[in-house]
C-alpha cells in the first residue's frame, strides 16, 4: 500500500481514512466530488502534505475513473450517495452513483491490472435482522432504494472477482459515527440540536437498534483488510458485536452533555413502515479471524470524542440543527 487512491475522500469516513493512510506512510490520491467552489469537503480539515494529492471529479464518469486509479497499488472505493431518506425521493441518482460508479471503478481496475480494490458496502443491505448476530451469509433485504443500490454495487464488485479474478473485497461497516459525520445521521442530529440550545429535540423511531463503530475503528478495519491477502473475494463485516437502541443512545448523549430535554417524534423522520430496519447486530468473527482486528473505542468514549468535536468553536456553523437533512 505505498500508493493508494480513495474515492469519497471528501466525506466523513473517507477523510478519516485518508488521515489514517497518511499516518501509515502511504502516498494518497484523494477524490473530492467536483464542484464549482473547488471545495474539498472534509479534506479541508487536513493540513496540506506532500503525500496527499487531491483530485476533483466524479465516479459516474468512466474515463475519469481510469485516470484517477491509474498507478495506484490499492483503491479504496467509498464514493456513494448514502442518505436513506433522499433515496426515496431521487432513486435514479443512487443507481447512477452507487451502481454505475462502482462498475466504472471495477472496470478501471480490471483494465489496469494488478491492483487491490476495496469496495465499501453497508449493514443496511441486510435489512432487519432475520437472526443475530448478522454474519456475512445473512440474506440481503433491499428495504430502501439506497440499500438496493448498495446490494447491486456489491454484486457488481463480486462478479468482477468471479469473472475476471479481480482482487476485490467488499468491506461492510456497521453504523459508523464520529467527528465530521453528516447531520442526516442520528448521533449528529441529536448532538447538534442539544448544542444549539434546542429544548424540544426532534427524533424519528427510537425502537431500532444499531451496532455502532467509532470512525477510527472502521478505518483500521479497512486498512487491516487491505493488508491481508486472504480477504480477496470476500464480503467482510466491520462490527462491534454490540447493539444499542436509539432510545438508549439518545439518553446517553443527553447525560454526557448534561442536559434535560424533551423528545418529540417528527413524522418526517420516520421511514415507511416496511422500509425501517429495526435491528442490526453484526458478527465480527470473520474480520477477527482473517486480520486480528477488533474494536478499541467504546461507545461512551466515542460519543465523548464526538461531542467534544461538535462543541468546538465554529463547528455548528457547518450544520443546520433546526432543519431536517434528508
Amino acid at each position: 500500500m505505498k500508493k493508494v487512491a480513495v474515492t469519497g475522500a471528501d466525506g466523513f469516513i473517507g477523510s478519516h481514512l485518508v488521515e489514517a493512510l497518511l499516518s501509515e506512510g502511504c502516498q494518497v490520491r484523494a477524490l473530492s466530488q467536483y464542484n464549482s467552489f473547488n471545495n474539498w469537503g472534509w479534506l479541508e480539515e487536513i493540513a496540506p502534505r506532500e503525500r496527499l494529492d487531491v483530485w476533483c471529479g466524479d465516479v459516474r464518469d468512466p474515463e475519469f475513473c481510469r485516470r484517477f486509479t491509474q498507478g495506484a497499488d490499492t483503491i479504496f472505493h467509498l464514493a456513494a450517495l448514502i442518505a436513506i431518506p433522499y433515496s426515496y425521493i431521487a432513486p435514479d441518482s443512487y443507481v447512477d452513483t452507487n451502481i454505475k460508479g462502482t462498475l466504472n471503478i471495477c472496470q478501471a481496475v480490471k483494465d489496469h491490472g494488478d491492483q487491490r480494490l476495496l469496495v465499501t458496502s453497508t449493514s443496511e443491505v441486510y435489512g432487519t435482522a432475520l437472526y443475530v448476530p448478522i454474519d456475512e451469509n445473512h440474506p440481503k433485504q433491499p428495504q430502501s432504494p439506497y440499500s438496493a443500490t448498495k446490494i447491486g454495487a456489491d454484486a457488481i464488485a463480486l462478479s468482477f472477482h468471479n469473472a475476471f479474478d479481480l482482487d476485490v473485497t467488499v468491506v461492510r461497516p456497521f453504523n459508523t459515527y464520529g467527528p465530521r459525520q453528516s447531520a442526516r445521521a442520528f448521533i449528529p442530529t441529536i448532538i447538534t440540536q442539544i448544542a444549539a440550545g434546542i429544548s424540544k429535540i426532534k427524533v424519528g423511531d427510537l425502537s431500532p437498534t444499531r451496532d455502532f463503530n467509532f470512525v477510527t475503528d472502521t478505518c483500521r478495519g479497512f486498512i487491516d483488510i487491505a493488508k491481508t491477502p486472504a480477504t480477496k473475494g470476500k464480503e467482510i463485516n466491520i462490527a462491534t458485536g454490540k447493539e444499542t437502541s436509539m432510545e438508549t443512545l439518545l439518553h446517553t448523549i443527553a447525560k454526557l452533555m448534561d442536559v434535560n430535554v424533551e423528545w418529540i417524534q417528527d413524522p418526517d423522520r420516520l421511514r415507511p413502515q416496511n422500509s425501517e430496519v429495526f435491528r442490526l447486530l453484526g458478527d465480527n468473527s470473520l474480520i477477527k479471524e482473517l486480520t486480528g482486528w477488533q474494536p478499541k473505542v467504546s461507545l461512551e468514549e466515542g460519543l465523548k470524542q464526538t461531542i467534544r468535536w461538535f462543541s468546538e468553536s465554529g463547528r455548528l456553523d457547518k450544520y443546520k440543527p433546526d432543519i431536517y437533512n434528508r
Side-chain angles (χ1 to χ4, degrees), residues 72-144:
D73 303 312
T74 305
I75 295 94
F76 296 85
H77 177 46
L78 283 78
L81 286 176
I82 61 174
I84 294 168
Y86 189 58
S87 78
Y88 302 134
I89 300 168
D92 192 74
S93 301
Y94 285 67
V95 172
D96 279 351
T97 301
N98 297 353
I99 297 179
K100 185 67 186 303
T102 300
L103 173 62
N104 290 339
I105 292 294
C106 287
Q107 188 66 59
V109 172
K110 171 180 174 290
D111 291 348
H112 296 321
D114 197 27
Q115 291 178 316
R116 182 91 165 91
L117 172 62
L118 281 77
V119 171
T120 309
S121 182
T122 168
S123 55
E124 284 283 327
V125 302
Y126 294 126
T128 296
L130 301 178
Y131 61 82
V132 293
I134 299 170
D135 60 19
E136 290 80 1
N137 294 317
H138 188 286
K140 310 298 191 298
Q141 301 181 95
Q143 290 183 224
S144 66

Side-chain angles (χ1 to χ4, degrees), residues 198-239:
I198 298 172
S199 58
K200 295 184 178 181
I201 307 301
K202 294 181 179 180
V203 297
D205 192 340
L206 294 181
S207 64
T209 67
R210 296 291 186 265
D211 186 327
F212 289 100
N213 285 306
F214 190 62
V215 64
T216 55
D217 282 337
T218 295
C219 292
R220 280 194 307 102
F222 271 97
I223 293 171
D224 289 350
I225 289 169
K227 289 179 175 179
T228 307
T231 62
K232 176 180 176 180
K234 298 186 183 299
E235 304 171 71
I236 302 178
N237 291 339
I238 302 178

Side-chain angles (χ1 to χ4, degrees), residues 54-67:
V54 180
W55 289 36
C56 291
D58 198 316
V59 294
R60 293 174 296 181
D61 187 288
E63 180 56 33
F64 174 82
C65 289
R66 287 190 182 90
R67 290 191 292 111

Side-chain angles (χ1 to χ4, degrees), residues 4-277:
V4 302
V6 182
T7 72
D10 51 351
F12 161 48
I13 299 176
S15 62
H16 283 280
L17 181 59
V18 167
E19 287 183 309
L21 289 166
L22 289 170
S23 70
E24 290 271 326
C26 299
Q27 182 176 328
V28 182
R29 184 181 298 163
L31 174 59
S32 174
Q33 187 175 28
Y34 175 82
N35 62 88
S36 60
F37 301 102
N38 197 27
N39 183 282
W40 294 350
W42 288 119
L43 291 174
E44 301 278 356
E45 298 258 320
I46 301 175
R49 306 183 196 183
E50 290 185 0
R51 289 183 287 108
L52 175 59
D53 181 19
V54 180
W55 289 36
C56 291
D58 198 316
V59 294
R60 293 174 296 181
D61 187 288
E63 180 56 33
F64 174 82
C65 289
R66 287 190 182 90
R67 290 191 292 111
F68 178 74
T69 55
Q70 189 169 17
D73 303 312
T74 305
I75 295 94
F76 296 85
H77 177 46
L78 283 78
L81 286 176
I82 61 174
I84 294 168
Y86 189 58
S87 78
Y88 302 134
I89 300 168
D92 192 74
S93 301
Y94 285 67
V95 172
D96 279 351
T97 301
N98 297 353
I99 297 179
K100 185 67 186 303
T102 300
L103 173 62
N104 290 339
I105 292 294
C106 287
Q107 188 66 59
V109 172
K110 171 180 174 290
D111 291 348
H112 296 321
D114 197 27
Q115 291 178 316
R116 182 91 165 91
L117 172 62
L118 281 77
V119 171
T120 309
S121 182
T122 168
S123 55
E124 284 283 327
V125 302
Y126 294 126
T128 296
L130 301 178
Y131 61 82
V132 293
I134 299 170
D135 60 19
E136 290 80 1
N137 294 317
H138 188 286
K140 310 298 191 298
Q141 301 181 95
Q143 290 183 224
S144 66
Y146 163 66
S147 65
T149 60
K150 294 299 284 185
I151 291 170
D154 296 350
I156 287 288
L158 293 171
S159 77
F160 269 65
H161 169 70
N162 292 326
F164 310 114
D165 197 32
L166 201 72
D167 186 356
V168 63
T169 303
V170 172
V171 181
R172 187 164 294 131
F174 278 63
N175 293 72
T176 302
Y177 72 99
R180 304 178 194 157
Q181 190 172 18
S182 71
R184 56 151 194 94
F186 186 83
I187 290 175
T189 197
I190 298 302
I191 294 174
T192 55
Q193 287 183 79
I194 293 176
I198 298 172
S199 58
K200 295 184 178 181
I201 307 301
K202 294 181 179 180
V203 297
D205 192 340
L206 294 181
S207 64
T209 67
R210 296 291 186 265
D211 186 327
F212 289 100
N213 285 306
F214 190 62
V215 64
T216 55
D217 282 337
T218 295
C219 292
R220 280 194 307 102
F222 271 97
I223 293 171
D224 289 350
I225 289 169
K227 289 179 175 179
T228 307
T231 62
K232 176 180 176 180
K234 298 186 183 299
E235 304 171 71
I236 302 178
N237 291 339
I238 302 178
T240 68
K242 299 177 181 178
E243 63 182 327
T244 305
S245 73
M246 298 296 104
E247 183 174 8
T248 298
L249 185 63
L250 193 152
H251 288 299
T252 302
I253 293 172
K255 180 180 179 181
L256 291 173
M257 297 184 75
D258 194 24
V259 294
N260 292 312
V261 289
E262 180 182 350
W263 316 113
I264 299 174
Q265 190 172 80
D266 180 2
D268 288 340
R269 298 170 191 254
L270 298 173
R271 297 194 199 183
Q273 184 176 359
N274 293 329
S275 187
E276 180 60 83
V277 174

